[in-house]
Amino acid sequence: MADLEEIYQHFQNKLSSLQCMLDLSAVDLPQQKIKKLAQEVLGLGRILEEFEKCVDQQKEQLKQLKELEKLFQNDLESVQHMKDNFPAHIPKRKSSVMDNKPADHQPAWAEKTKKISRNFVKEMDYITTQEYDGIPHYMKGRVSYEQLNAVVEGINTAVAAKYKILCQPLKALNNHSRKLQQRFKDQETKDTRGQFFVVEEDMHEFTQMKVDKRFQGILNMLRQCQRLREVRGGGLVRYVLM
């Protein structure tokens, strides 16, 4: 601001001097004075030309800054859109030591209950948006992406609760948990040896989910996405995690 005031004052002084010379033009001026007047006018003209160049440069810079501001605004809106529409479930892949062992060589839970760490309990991976879009419409119906993954979360909750009980020594369990542990062992078959599975009764026991026709439809969707398979026998349907 100080520089602008100095430039303004400089021009004012020059213009005042020129105005004074012009006022005296009615009388004859010496040749030297006329030459000085012409130099002053030319000097002011050059300065004005420089100012015009600076103004044009500033206009161009301002235009570029406005374009840059618009790009930043678009990026900000894109980030805000992603934040507002962030999926409730991020698909992730977990591996466990037991996943690397062939099923035929994995012992039954009844034989290895005390040696199995809770960290080895398998989880079902959440359904991705691409997988959800690939499910046939007749199978998907009105089930939303969030509702589908809510069932995945419920199954994982039931699996974690079930195998936590199986991992506990009998003396550490109360009467109800002992009965559950025995039921879990009784439901094992040669086809589920070393696998992680739940039955409908486990969903009732460990979650608040309704095991109804809609739930069965979602299980069909999970089979379509290769998240589980069914093992039937003894009047039970076992939902085995894949």
Side-chain angles (χ1 to χ4, degrees), residues 83-111:
K83 179 181 177 182
D84 295 340
N85 295 275
F86 201 75
H89 305 286
I90 300 298
K92 57 183 178 178
R93 178 73 60 179
K94 290 189 176 181
S95 60
S96 66
V97 173
M98 293 190 66
D99 291 339
N100 298 326
K101 296 181 180 180
D104 293 341
H105 298 287
Q106 292 178 355
W109 284 103
E111 299 171 0

Side-chain angles (χ1 to χ4, degrees), residues 199-211:
V199 298
E200 290 186 3
E201 194 173 356
D202 298 330
M203 301 301 296
H204 286 298
E205 180 71 33
F206 300 116
T207 73
Q208 301 296 320
M209 304 190 71
K210 294 182 178 180
V211 182

Side-chain angles (χ1 to χ4, degrees), residues 49-62:
E49 288 178 359
E50 292 296 326
F51 268 103
E52 287 179 355
K53 290 180 181 179
C54 290
V55 170
D56 290 339
Q57 291 175 356
Q58 293 295 325
K59 286 182 178 179
E60 184 63 26
Q61 291 180 1
L62 181 61

Side-chain angles (χ1 to χ4, degrees), residues 6-231:
E6 291 176 1
I7 294 171
Y8 171 77
Q9 190 62 45
H10 175 75
F11 270 92
Q12 283 293 102
N13 294 338
K14 291 291 184 181
L15 291 173
S16 296
S17 298
L18 291 173
Q19 185 64 47
C20 182
M21 290 181 182
L22 290 173
D23 292 341
L24 294 173
S25 64
V27 299
D28 292 335
L29 293 175
Q31 189 67 27
Q32 185 178 359
K33 291 290 186 180
I34 295 175
K35 185 178 180 180
K36 184 178 179 180
L37 177 61
Q39 290 175 348
E40 291 287 350
V41 172
L42 290 174
L44 288 176
R46 286 193 295 268
I47 294 175
L48 288 173
E49 288 178 359
E50 292 296 326
F51 268 103
E52 287 179 355
K53 290 180 181 179
C54 290
V55 170
D56 290 339
Q57 291 175 356
Q58 293 295 325
K59 286 182 178 179
E60 184 63 26
Q61 291 180 1
L62 181 61
K63 180 181 177 181
Q64 293 175 357
L65 288 174
K66 286 184 176 180
E67 292 176 354
L68 186 61
E69 180 186 20
K70 185 177 180 180
L71 290 175
F72 276 119
Q73 185 64 32
N74 291 337
D75 289 341
L76 181 62
E77 291 175 358
S78 297
V79 171
Q80 186 63 43
H81 176 75
M82 288 188 289
K83 179 181 177 182
D84 295 340
N85 295 275
F86 201 75
H89 305 286
I90 300 298
K92 57 183 178 178
R93 178 73 60 179
K94 290 189 176 181
S95 60
S96 66
V97 173
M98 293 190 66
D99 291 339
N100 298 326
K101 296 181 180 180
D104 293 341
H105 298 287
Q106 292 178 355
W109 284 103
E111 299 171 0
K112 294 279 288 183
T113 299
K114 295 182 180 181
K115 297 182 180 180
I116 296 172
S117 168
R118 184 186 177 188
N119 294 330
F120 291 163
V121 175
K122 187 174 183 179
E123 288 187 352
M124 182 184 298
D125 292 333
Y126 288 110
I127 302 299
T128 65
T129 54
Q130 291 81 3
E131 289 175 314
Y132 177 77
D133 292 339
I135 299 174
H137 182 70
Y138 74 88
M139 183 180 295
K140 187 163 42 180
R142 296 184 178 180
V143 177
S144 68
Y145 173 77
E146 290 75 14
Q147 291 171 334
L148 177 58
N149 273 323
V151 173
V152 172
E153 186 173 350
I155 292 175
N156 285 337
T157 298
V159 170
K162 171 183 176 178
Y163 287 94
K164 179 181 179 181
I165 292 176
L166 275 171
C167 291
Q168 301 298 316
L170 190 62
K171 62 182 180 181
L173 301 175
N174 57 31
N175 288 335
H176 179 66
S177 296
R178 289 181 180 181
K179 293 179 181 179
L180 288 176
Q181 189 183 79
Q182 187 58 49
R183 174 169 69 80
F184 299 152
K185 295 176 181 180
D186 293 341
Q187 291 171 349
E188 286 281 354
T189 69
K190 63 178 182 178
D191 295 324
T192 62
R193 187 179 298 275
Q195 304 295 314
F196 295 84
F197 72 92
V198 291
V199 298
E200 290 186 3
E201 194 173 356
D202 298 330
M203 301 301 296
H204 286 298
E205 180 71 33
F206 300 116
T207 73
Q208 301 296 320
M209 304 190 71
K210 294 182 178 180
V211 182
D212 52 14
K213 184 177 180 180
R214 178 174 174 275
F215 178 80
Q216 294 297 331
I218 293 178
L219 291 181
N220 289 334
M221 294 165 63
L222 294 177
R223 284 195 295 271
Q224 171 76 15
C225 295
Q226 298 184 351
R227 290 298 191 274
L228 57 79
R229 62 185 178 88
E230 290 184 359
V231 174

